[in-house]
């Protein structure tokens, strides 16, 4: 039975308004960048089919509004998450300082059982912008991630598609690992919520 | 659903006793068996492009004892599930029913008698029913009564094998395409050679029609049911069609009656496609829905097998685009279903009389019972012409004072909107910048004083920039505004990149490259100054963007925005209480007005109606283009029926998509995605009409409830229940008896035209932003 279940990996993307959450997701999923993305209101998600070690999985990336007050309604989205991506803008020091806030907010809202082992990935976005405007040093970010339990860290440019696939590959792998653990934990009751039933290669059967 | 591999590894379903015997007039059926009426071997299912995967089997017609023709089973039984003896019986039946019977039919009377003396009236074939209705992979069996239509594709250059698709009436089955491998079928080969012998080049039969095994299936099927060829879609045969089916598929005779004036030919052909779509849509959708659990590639198989008009529709870019955002088969199908439905409805509106549309609305809203709406009310629900400049001017006397009632003006605007030449003035009234009873002279004065006021708020921050640079809150707010302004509606020409970046302030975080965006920023910063407790919150930029678009003047835009924000402030509160209240009210409204959908949403974990968050926060700004959002807001500004008419607009959206949501979406994320993706696809005017009807219906319901119209009936009902249970040991509990419904305060608030004002709590100086 389980071999026919398609694994759905739920990933929440968080971070200050304007750091490029929507752009990162669009670049990863649709391979495009636009200056016309508006501020996200409410929540939305994009999905992409991936192959991890010969397993087909669907990654579902959740995008939410960056202003804090809108997070209070976001509980519904956080439930069942397998990985959380924290994004900041390397030219915006505040957005980096807020990473801790977003991390805690997520752990509380998502009601994560084992906060210490839950996978996070940190992305420092907008590295395409001139170096002179950069306000968060690579070293500083690396250090923070190390202190928080060796969180994987990537510097990305959604605009120029730098490091996007590499970063999301780690996101997907870590989410997959987490999903396996979740699955083992809530084997029966919750399996419906976290798996899509897809009858793989069936050619159309009539029963 | 069974797995492919399970089928091949499992043993044949039965090792049955196969009987072939001489027929007797009274027809004795061995117990548990069916009589094979027809069989055709070497019919294949092609699960993949790979030949190796092909599954050979028998297509059969069979009948159980004492059943009618409608119950005759059409079945496909894979060879691998049959024993050698069983295959033999099927083959024998194949040869007899397809070749011998035809030969016999060609015999002269004398020869026929001779033949019968020698062979009896004909062999009959019985097999265990369990073989026919086996549930192995690819096997299927369904009675004729469950078949809606059959598509037939004769072999041609592109298609080596002829094939058929059986479309079941049931929602659950998508049957595989059956390919007739004529070159492998003995009976077909024999029949072909027979035919070739008799080939008459002067026959009226179309010689282009290549004979294939499927023809024999249809020939036999016709003995037991009505097979009606659709003239619109050549390859579709309707099985025992109802009169509705016939109309939808417009068989030859109907089309011929339907003569159209020559000048309208273009439209007429469109209409027939539309007729087809209208009739066929649910069939197609249902067949699509059936594969929703299967893999994506099967969806495309279905689409490839779709009738031509549908294929054409699918090639349209907006529908193709749906593919790009493919999320799961269900969402895809739901969207697809909607696009077809809308296409059909749009065309319908063009061609069908208004009365029909009204009837459609009526029946959809279920207005037949005690809470029905009167025809007069319905009439009013139609959208009317927009208010022109001449009409607008006629509302005022010489002194520029309104000479009709405010209610009359609002009624006109609510139902028709205003023309663009009237808008800038009308909105000043609607938003409350101008009092309705003002004269032209007073209005001029108001404008002048507003200009002064704006400048004073403006200078409050502009003159103190240096000082404010040290205020963390202010800096945060400015950055927030800049970020949102910079990505505001960059797709419309007014806000596109235009000219140089501003150099007026070196402290800017973001240089805006459009003068209008710089104006938006100025206005928002001034509002941040004006309403210090609330400040700027994400989403406000969307609201201002529309107002600014109408005025393109900072002063007037600012004051209109201020007035607009009075009612919108509750959407932006830090504790989100205003949004929660609206979502809760909407929730109650849905449970009252759309109970079936409510139950379904409950099952989908979507009862929080979170998917309305964006729509509510910025009043559908992200769901419509400017050309629609302006008249929509204009309508809301009137508060003609309710100051929360936007909630009825939400209800209208739900009611429009009710069926699709219920039938296709079953999870929280699916519902959310579906609703989010409605953005830029909805028909604003249609929804406004629906919203109005729903409001009127709601008002009537509240009226009925409040006036206790139903109380007598309710009491009688309660008394009856109690009476019936008199003396019984288990008396019904009070809570289990029917109760009167009480209208909640939240719902009652929907009947008020007064704007709900909820303000942000005082902000403590030095507190961080958000």
């Amino acid at each position: 039975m389980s071999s026919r279940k398609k694994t759905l990996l739920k990933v929440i993307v968080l971070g200050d308004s304007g750091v490029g959450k929507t752009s990162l997701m669009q670049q990863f999923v649709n391979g495009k960048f636009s200056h016309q993305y508006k501020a996200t209101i409410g929540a939305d998600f994009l999905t992409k089919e991936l192959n991890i070690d010969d397993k087909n999985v669907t990654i579902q990336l959740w995008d939410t509004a960056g202003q804090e007050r809108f997070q209070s309604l976001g509980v519904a989205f956080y439930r069942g998450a397998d990985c959380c991506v924290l994004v900041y803008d390397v030219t915006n020091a505040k957005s980096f300082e807020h990473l801790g806030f977003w991390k805690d907010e997520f752990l509380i809202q998502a009601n994560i059982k084992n906060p210490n082992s839950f996978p996070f990935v940190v992305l420092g976005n907008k590295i395409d912008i001139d170096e002179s405007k950069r306000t968060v040093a690579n070293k500083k970010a690396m250090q923070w991630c190390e202190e928080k339990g060796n969180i994987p860290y990537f510097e990305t440019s959604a605009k120029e598609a730098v490091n996007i696939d590499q970063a999301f590959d780690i996101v997907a792998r870590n989410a997959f690992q987490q999903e396996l653990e979740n699955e083992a934990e809530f084997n029966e009751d919750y399996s419906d919520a976290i798996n899509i039933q897809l009858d793989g290669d069936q050619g159309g059967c009539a029963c | 659903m069974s797995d492919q591999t399970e089928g091949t590894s499992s043993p044949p379903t039965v090792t049955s006793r196969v009987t072939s015997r001489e027929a007797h007039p009274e027809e004795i059926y061995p117990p548990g068996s069916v009589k094979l009426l027809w069989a055709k071997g070497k019919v294949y299912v092609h699960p993949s492009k790979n030949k190796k995967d092909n599954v050979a089997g028998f297509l059969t017609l069979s009948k159980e004892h004492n059943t009618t023709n409608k119950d005759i089973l059409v079945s496909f039984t894979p060879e691998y599930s049959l024993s050698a003896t069983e295959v033999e019986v099927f083959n024998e039946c194949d040869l007899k029913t397809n070749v011998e019977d035809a030969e016999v039919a060609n015999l002269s009377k004398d020869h026929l008698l001779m033949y019968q003396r020698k062979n009896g009236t004909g062999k009959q074939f019985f097999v265990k029913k369990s073989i026919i209705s086996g549930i192995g992979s690819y096997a299927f069996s369904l009675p004729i009564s469950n078949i809606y239509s059959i598509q037939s594709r004769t072999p041609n250059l592109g298609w080596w094998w002829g094939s058929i698709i059986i479309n079941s009436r049931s929602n659950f089955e998508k049957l595989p395409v059956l390919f007739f491998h004529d070159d492998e079928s003995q009976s077909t080969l024999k029949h072909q050679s027979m035919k070739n012998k008799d080939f008459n080049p002067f026959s009226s039969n179309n010689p282009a029609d290549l004979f294939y095994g499927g023809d024999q299936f249809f020939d036999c099927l016709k003995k037991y049911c009505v097979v009606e060829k659709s003239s619109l879609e050549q390859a579709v045969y309707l099985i025992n069609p109802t009169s509705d089916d016939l109309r939808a598929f417009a068989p030859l005779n109907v089309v011929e009656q339907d003569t159209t004036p020559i000048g309208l030919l273009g439209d007429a052909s469109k209409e027939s496609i539309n007729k087809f779509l209208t009739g066929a849509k649910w069939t197609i959708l249902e067949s699509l829905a059936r594969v929703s659990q299967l893999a994506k590639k099967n969806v495309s198989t279905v689409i490839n097998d779709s009738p031509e008009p549908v294929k054409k529709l699918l090639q349209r870019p907006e529908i193709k685009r749906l593919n790009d955002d493919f999320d799961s088969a269900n969402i895809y199908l739901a969207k697809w279903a909607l696009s077809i439905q809308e296409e059909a409805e749009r065309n319908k509106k063009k061609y069908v009389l208004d009365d029909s549309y009204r009837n459609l609305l009526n029946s959809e809203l279920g207005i037949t019972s005690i809470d029905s709406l009167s025809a007069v009310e319905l009439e009013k629900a139609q959208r009317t012409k927009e208010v022109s400049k001449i009409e607008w001017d006629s509302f005022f006397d010489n002194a520029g004072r309104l000479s009709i009632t405010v209610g009359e003006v609002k009624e006109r605007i609510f139902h028709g909107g205003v023309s663009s030449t009237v808008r800038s003035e009308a909105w000043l009234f609607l938003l409350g910048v101008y009092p309705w009873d003002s004269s032209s002279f007073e209005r001029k004065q108001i404008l002048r004083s507003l200009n002064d006021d704006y400048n004073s708020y403006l200078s409050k921050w502009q003159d103190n920039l240096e000082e404010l640079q040290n205020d963390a809150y202010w800096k945060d707010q400015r950055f927030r505004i800049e970020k949102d302004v910079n990505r505001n509606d960059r797709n419309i020409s007014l806000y596109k990149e235009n000219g140089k970046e501003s150099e007026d302030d070196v402290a800017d975080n973001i240089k805006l490259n459009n003068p209008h965006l710089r104006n938006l920023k100025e206005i928002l910063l001034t509002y941040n100054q004006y309403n210090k407790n609330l400040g700027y919150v994400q989403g406000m930029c969307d609201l201002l963007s529309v107002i600014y678009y109408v005025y393109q003047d900072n002063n007037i835009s600012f004051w209109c925005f201020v007035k607009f924000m009075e009612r919108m402030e509750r959407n932006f509160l830090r504790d989100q209480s205003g949004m929660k209240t609206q979502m809760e009210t909407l929730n109650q409204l849905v449970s009252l007005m759309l109970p079936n959908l409510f139950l379904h949403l409950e099952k989908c974990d979507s009862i929080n109606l979170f998917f309305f968050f964006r729509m509510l926060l910025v009043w559908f700004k992200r769901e419509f283009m400017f050309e629609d959002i302006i008249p929509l807001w204009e309508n809301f500004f009137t508060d003609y029926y309710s100051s929360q008419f936007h909630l009825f607009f939400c209800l209208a959206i739900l009611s429009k998509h009710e069926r699709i949501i219920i039938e296709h979406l079953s999870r929280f994320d699916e519902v959310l995605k579906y609703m989010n993706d409605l953005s830029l696809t909805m028909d604003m005017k249609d929804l406004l009409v629906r919203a109005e009807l729903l409001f009127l219906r709601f008002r009537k319901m509240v009226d009925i409830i409040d006036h206790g119209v139903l109380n007598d009936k309710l009491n009688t009902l309660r008394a009856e229940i109690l009476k019936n249970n008199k003396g019984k040991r288990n008396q019904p509990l009070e809570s289990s008896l029917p109760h009167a419904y009480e209208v909640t305060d939240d719902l009652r608030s929907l009947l008020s035209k007064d704007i709900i004002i909820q303000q942000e709590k005082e902000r403590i100086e030095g507190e961080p932003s958000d």
Side-chain angles (χ1 to χ4, degrees):
Chain A
M1 192 65 192
S2 66
S3 65
R4 289 194 356 235
K5 271 182 196 164
K6 184 126 198 183
T7 308
L8 179 69
L9 305 177
K10 185 169 177 178
V11 174
I12 315 292
V13 182
L14 294 177
D16 275 12
S17 154
V19 296
K21 297 182 289 295
T22 306
S23 297
L24 283 164
M25 288 171 42
Q26 285 287 349
Q27 182 60 265
F28 172 61
V29 173
N30 296 320
K32 59 184 185 187
F33 176 82
S34 162
H35 283 289
Q36 293 186 0
Y37 298 131
K38 298 174 181 181
T40 304
I41 296 178
D44 202 356
F45 64 85
L46 292 175
T47 55
K48 185 170 178 164
E49 312 280 326
L50 291 177
N51 191 292
I52 302 176
D53 300 336
D54 286 336
K55 286 252 179 166
N56 288 325
V57 298
T58 304
I59 188 165
Q60 188 182 55
L61 296 164
W62 284 78
D63 189 9
T64 54
Q67 193 161 1
E68 288 166 44
R69 70 184 64 194
F70 295 125
Q71 296 299 317
S72 69
L73 289 150
V75 193
F77 312 125
Y78 294 172
R79 203 171 37 196
D82 299 305
C83 180
C84 176
V85 179
L86 302 171
V87 187
Y88 78 96
D89 168 358
V90 296
T91 69
N92 174 0
K94 269 252 163 73
S95 71
F96 174 72
E97 287 158 27
H98 287 164
L99 287 182
F101 161 82
W102 288 114
K103 183 169 177 284
D104 294 343
E105 179 81 0
F106 172 79
L107 288 172
I108 296 162
Q109 298 254 31
N111 193 20
I112 298 297
K113 293 267 157 60
N114 305 309
N116 292 329
S117 68
F118 188 86
F120 287 90
V121 172
V122 170
L123 306 184
N125 192 34
K126 304 199 187 178
I127 53 163
D128 51 280
I129 294 178
D130 193 81
E131 186 66 28
S132 65
K133 300 218 169 126
R134 182 160 178 158
T135 53
V136 183
N138 172 291
K139 223 178 189 177
K140 198 174 167 190
M142 300 267 278
Q143 195 188 339
W144 188 86
C145 290
E146 208 173 303
E147 281 166 12
K148 296 287 168 182
N150 283 324
I151 299 176
Y153 173 65
F154 292 88
E155 299 206 334
T156 58
S157 162
K159 189 178 175 183
E160 286 166 8
V162 177
N163 254 346
I164 305 296
D165 286 342
Q166 293 86 332
F168 280 100
D169 181 64
I170 293 298
V171 169
R173 280 171 192 280
N174 290 353
F176 189 52
Q177 195 56 42
Q178 178 71 13
E179 168 66 18
L180 293 178
E181 279 163 33
N182 280 353
E183 200 170 8
E185 223 169 292
F186 312 100
N187 211 349
E188 277 149 31
D189 289 47
Y190 293 89
S191 61
D192 279 351
I194 49 184
N195 290 298
I196 306 176
Q197 184 96 35
L198 270 183
D199 288 5
D201 295 325
Q202 224 162 287
C205 137
C207 13
Chain B
M1 290 287 147
S2 65
D3 201 286
Q4 198 176 333
T5 52
E6 280 166 25
T8 41
S9 58
S10 64
T13 352
V14 277
T15 46
S16 78
R17 186 175 64 94
V18 183
T19 323
S20 61
R21 49 179 290 285
E22 298 276 30
H24 290 282
E26 64 274 18
E27 289 204 335
I28 299 162
Y29 281 61
S33 72
V34 293
K35 184 166 87 176
L36 283 180
L37 303 171
W38 177 83
K40 171 65 79 181
K42 298 299 171 192
V43 175
Y44 280 77
V45 173
H46 295 177
S48 74
K49 281 190 176 160
N50 195 333
K51 250 191 196 166
K52 275 192 289 185
D53 294 339
N54 289 355
V55 180
F58 290 92
L59 178 65
T60 58
L61 291 172
S62 62
K63 192 167 181 285
E64 267 184 283
H65 195 35
N66 277 336
T67 55
T68 66
N69 282 349
K70 277 187 186 170
D71 304 313
I72 287 173
L73 295 170
V74 176
S75 317
F76 177 77
T77 313
E79 269 178 33
Y80 67 71
S81 68
L82 298 171
S83 67
T85 16
E86 286 161 358
V87 169
E88 213 170 286
V89 173
F90 276 87
N91 274 331
E92 221 180 310
C93 176
D94 182 356
L95 276 174
K96 164 142 194 333
T97 53
N98 289 307
V99 184
E100 286 175 35
D101 287 356
E103 282 171 358
V104 170
N106 285 340
L107 293 174
S108 69
K109 210 175 173 187
D110 288 350
H111 282 100
L112 180 67
L113 279 171
M114 246 163 68
Y115 175 87
Q116 282 176 347
R117 224 170 286 143
K118 208 169 92 193
N119 298 303
T121 40
K123 244 185 186 174
Q124 300 220 4
F125 304 92
F126 290 90
V127 291
K128 281 232 167 194
K129 196 192 172 196
S130 48
I131 301 180
I132 290 298
S133 54
I135 47 163
S137 279
Y138 307 112
F140 68 78
S141 182
L142 77 171
I144 285 179
S145 59
N146 263 0
I147 299 178
Y148 181 73
S149 65
I150 302 175
Q151 278 165 265
S152 158
R153 185 158 49 195
T154 49
N156 59 39
L157 286 177
W159 293 91
W160 185 253
W161 293 296
S163 59
I164 61 166
I165 305 170
I166 299 175
N167 297 312
S168 137
R169 289 182 193 271
S170 128
N171 286 342
F172 310 110
E173 290 180 299
K174 157 73 185 155
L175 305 177
V177 182
L178 298 178
F179 294 89
F180 291 80
H181 289 211
D182 291 339
D183 50 338
E184 297 170 46
S185 162
Q186 287 309 310
S187 66
T188 306
L189 288 172
K190 281 194 176 170
H191 194 94
Q192 271 169 343
S193 71
M194 244 166 71
K195 269 198 116 158
N196 291 345
K197 251 191 301 186
D198 298 341
F199 179 65
N200 174 4
F202 306 106
S203 152
S204 59
N205 288 335
N206 185 356
D209 276 349
L210 215 63
F211 168 80
Y212 84 113
D215 292 342
Q216 292 174 320
F217 172 65
F218 281 106
D219 283 345
C220 186
L221 196 63
K222 278 178 196 159
K223 293 182 199 161
Y224 305 107
C225 61
V226 179
V227 178
E228 188 81 36
K229 190 169 183 175
S230 162
S231 59
L232 269 177
E233 191 49 46
Q234 292 298 337
V236 171
Y237 294 83
L238 301 174
I239 305 304
N240 285 336
T242 65
S243 51
D244 278 354
D245 296 338
L246 284 175
R247 226 172 294 129
F249 280 81
L252 220 52
N253 50 350
V254 180
V255 165
E256 278 169 357
Q257 285 163 13
D258 201 355
T259 48
T260 323
I262 293 162
L264 291 172
L265 262 181
D267 281 354
S269 66
K270 236 194 228 164
E271 183 179 8
S272 57
I273 287 176
N274 178 45
K275 261 189 190 167
F276 169 79
L277 277 177
T278 318
K281 69 184 178 202
W282 287 115
T283 320
I284 297 158
L285 297 183
E286 277 159 6
S287 75
L288 275 168
R290 275 176 250 136
V291 290
S292 62
Q293 307 227 339
L294 303 178
K296 248 195 263 182
K297 65 178 176 196
N298 289 337
V299 177
S300 56
T301 311
V302 175
I303 286 164
N304 286 334
D305 294 330
S306 297
E308 208 47 44
V310 175
K311 261 194 227 165
K312 274 184 196 143
L313 200 66
L314 283 169
Q315 279 154 10
R316 289 167 52 160
E318 64 270 34
I319 294 167
K320 264 193 162 168
R321 203 187 53 215
L322 294 177
N323 261 319
D324 300 339
D325 291 331
F326 189 95
D327 292 301
S328 74
N330 272 345
I331 295 174
Y332 177 82
L333 290 169
K335 281 182 194 167
W336 198 81
L338 185 81
S339 65
I340 298 258
Q341 188 191 351
E342 281 191 338
E343 173 78 6
E345 275 179 13
R346 237 192 322 273
N347 286 328
K348 202 165 178 180
K349 266 191 205 161
K350 282 185 205 154
Y351 298 109
V352 180
L353 291 172
D354 257 355
D355 280 353
S356 315
Y357 183 58
R358 228 172 289 160
N359 287 340
L360 179 94
L361 271 180
N362 267 356
S363 67
E364 184 160 327
L365 291 168
I367 306 166
T368 46
S369 54
I370 184 152
D371 47 7
S372 66
L373 300 162
S374 71
V376 182
E377 280 173 306
L378 276 174
E379 189 56 44
K380 280 188 190 162
Q382 303 294 313
R383 298 283 300 166
T384 52
K385 254 192 350 202
E386 57 183 27
V387 177
S388 66
K389 182 80 175 103
I390 295 171
E391 188 181 356
W392 176 258
D393 289 341
S394 76
F395 294 163
F396 298 88
D397 64 17
N398 288 339
R401 270 185 215 280
L402 204 59
S403 56
I404 59 173
T405 66
V406 178
E408 283 169 307
V409 181
K410 287 188 167 179
E411 192 277 329
R412 273 297 282 122
I413 299 177
F414 180 89
H415 285 116
V418 298
S419 85
S420 54
T421 48
V422 174
R423 183 159 293 125
S424 57
E425 192 174 348
W427 279 27
L428 288 165
F429 284 96
L430 289 171
L431 287 166
V433 177
Y434 289 162
W436 284 100
D437 57 3
S438 58
S439 67
S440 341
F441 177 72
E442 286 161 346
R443 291 197 288 272
K444 267 181 201 141
Q445 282 187 314
I446 289 170
L447 269 192
R448 211 168 299 136
S449 74
L450 288 180
N451 196 27
D452 294 343
D453 287 351
Y454 176 69
N455 287 329
S456 77
Y457 283 111
L458 185 66
S459 63
K460 270 187 190 165
W461 64 268
Q462 278 195 340
D463 298 349
N464 290 309
L465 277 176
E466 258 172 61
E467 197 181 311
L468 288 167
Q469 269 320 111
N470 299 320
D471 179 343
Y473 169 77
W474 194 84
K475 268 167 65 187
D476 276 356
Q477 287 298 84
R478 180 167 80 168
F479 189 31
R480 207 190 291 284
I481 289 168
E482 283 171 350
K483 278 187 290 192
D484 285 358
V485 166
N486 191 38
R487 47 185 168 162
N488 173 68
D489 293 318
R490 297 309 292 258
N491 52 327
I492 69 164
S493 63
L494 182 71
Y495 298 126
K496 277 205 171 118
E497 184 170 349
N498 173 13
K500 275 195 198 145
E501 294 176 347
S502 64
E503 295 295 341
D504 47 345
D505 184 356
V506 282
D508 280 344
N509 292 290
I510 294 166
K511 309 283 182 210
L512 299 168
N513 57 17
N514 172 305
H516 299 290
L517 292 182
R518 290 196 285 274
N519 288 340
L520 291 185
K521 176 184 154 188
E522 179 192 293
I523 298 167
L524 289 170
L525 276 167
T526 310
Y527 184 78
N528 184 54
Q529 192 67 40
Y530 173 85
N531 186 345
K532 284 189 163 171
N533 292 330
L534 184 65
Y536 174 78
V537 183
Q538 271 195 344
M540 287 185 191
C541 187
D542 279 90
L543 301 184
L544 176 64
S545 178
V546 177
I547 288 174
Y548 182 85
Y549 180 89
V550 169
Y551 292 101
Q552 296 182 31
D553 172 286
N554 291 16
N555 170 37
I556 300 179
S557 299
F558 174 78
W559 288 110
C560 283
F561 181 66
V562 163
K563 286 292 186 180
F564 186 28
M565 278 306 298
E566 282 179 12
R567 58 156 55 198
M568 298 306 275
E569 182 159 358
R570 74 168 173 148
N571 285 6
F572 296 96
L573 306 179
R574 191 173 303 212
D575 63 6
Q576 296 288 295
S577 57
M579 287 298 288
K580 283 176 186 155
T581 308
Q582 288 176 80
M583 276 150 78
E584 175 55 28
T585 307
L586 186 55
N587 175 291
Q588 293 171 23
L589 192 60
V590 175
S591 91
L592 178 67
M593 305 287 291
L594 303 171
N596 289 333
L597 181 66
F598 187 83
L599 286 175
H600 183 76
L601 290 173
E602 238 174 2
K603 280 186 223 152
C604 306
D605 221 357
S606 298
I607 206 59
N608 53 20
L609 303 180
F610 200 100
F611 45 83
F612 275 124
F613 186 87
R614 182 173 79 194
M615 302 195 203
L616 289 175
L617 188 82
V618 291
W619 269 16
F620 312 96
K621 163 72 166 38
R622 298 287 177 89
E623 331 305 322
F624 294 100
M625 309 286 273
F626 273 67
E627 67 211 49
D628 277 337
I629 206 69
I630 288 169
L632 180 66
W633 284 10
E634 206 157 80
N635 173 290
F636 293 165
F637 288 159
T638 61
D639 303 315
Y640 178 63
Y641 284 120
S642 164
S643 66
Q644 300 187 85
F645 193 69
H646 59 284
L647 295 184
F648 288 91
F649 196 77
C650 291
L651 193 66
I653 294 173
L654 279 182
S655 99
K656 171 123 184 166
H657 298 265
E658 179 176 18
R659 177 171 173 170
I660 285 167
I661 295 172
I662 291 177
E663 290 182 2
H664 300 272
L665 307 176
S666 58
R667 293 197 329 241
F668 169 76
D669 51 353
E670 287 176 344
V671 177
L672 181 95
K673 189 76 186 163
Y674 181 76
M675 294 302 285
N676 277 348
D677 289 357
L678 288 178
S679 175
L680 306 182
T681 68
M682 294 186 284
D683 180 342
M684 184 273 293
K685 285 182 179 157
D686 170 62
L687 289 169
L688 269 184
V689 171
R690 282 164 186 270
E692 177 171 15
L693 292 173
L694 286 164
F695 174 83
L696 294 173
R697 187 151 192 237
F698 167 76
R699 190 170 68 181
K700 197 136 198 173
M701 281 165 93
V702 174
D703 200 45
I704 290 165
I705 295 164
D706 281 357
H707 287 84
V709 176
L710 302 169
N711 284 1
D712 283 352
K713 285 184 183 168
L714 189 74
N715 287 336
T716 318
L717 202 64
R718 287 168 64 97
E720 257 171 39
I721 294 171
L722 288 171
K723 198 175 130 199
N724 290 340
N725 284 282
K726 217 172 185 179
K728 287 188 187 163
R729 201 177 298 162
N730 294 324
Q731 285 295 304
L733 294 169
E734 171 61 23
S735 60
S736 70
L737 291 173
H739 276 81
Y741 177 85
E742 275 181 36
V743 180
T744 62
D745 289 345
D746 282 342
L747 285 181
R748 202 174 294 285
S749 77
L750 294 173
L751 295 173
S752 166
K753 300 176 185 183
D754 297 332
I755 291 170
I756 296 173
I757 293 178
Q758 213 183 331
Q759 291 180 328
E760 184 60 283
K761 288 188 216 93
E762 198 176 334
R763 192 180 70 84
I764 300 151
E765 205 69 33
E767 225 175 53
S769 62
D770 195 73

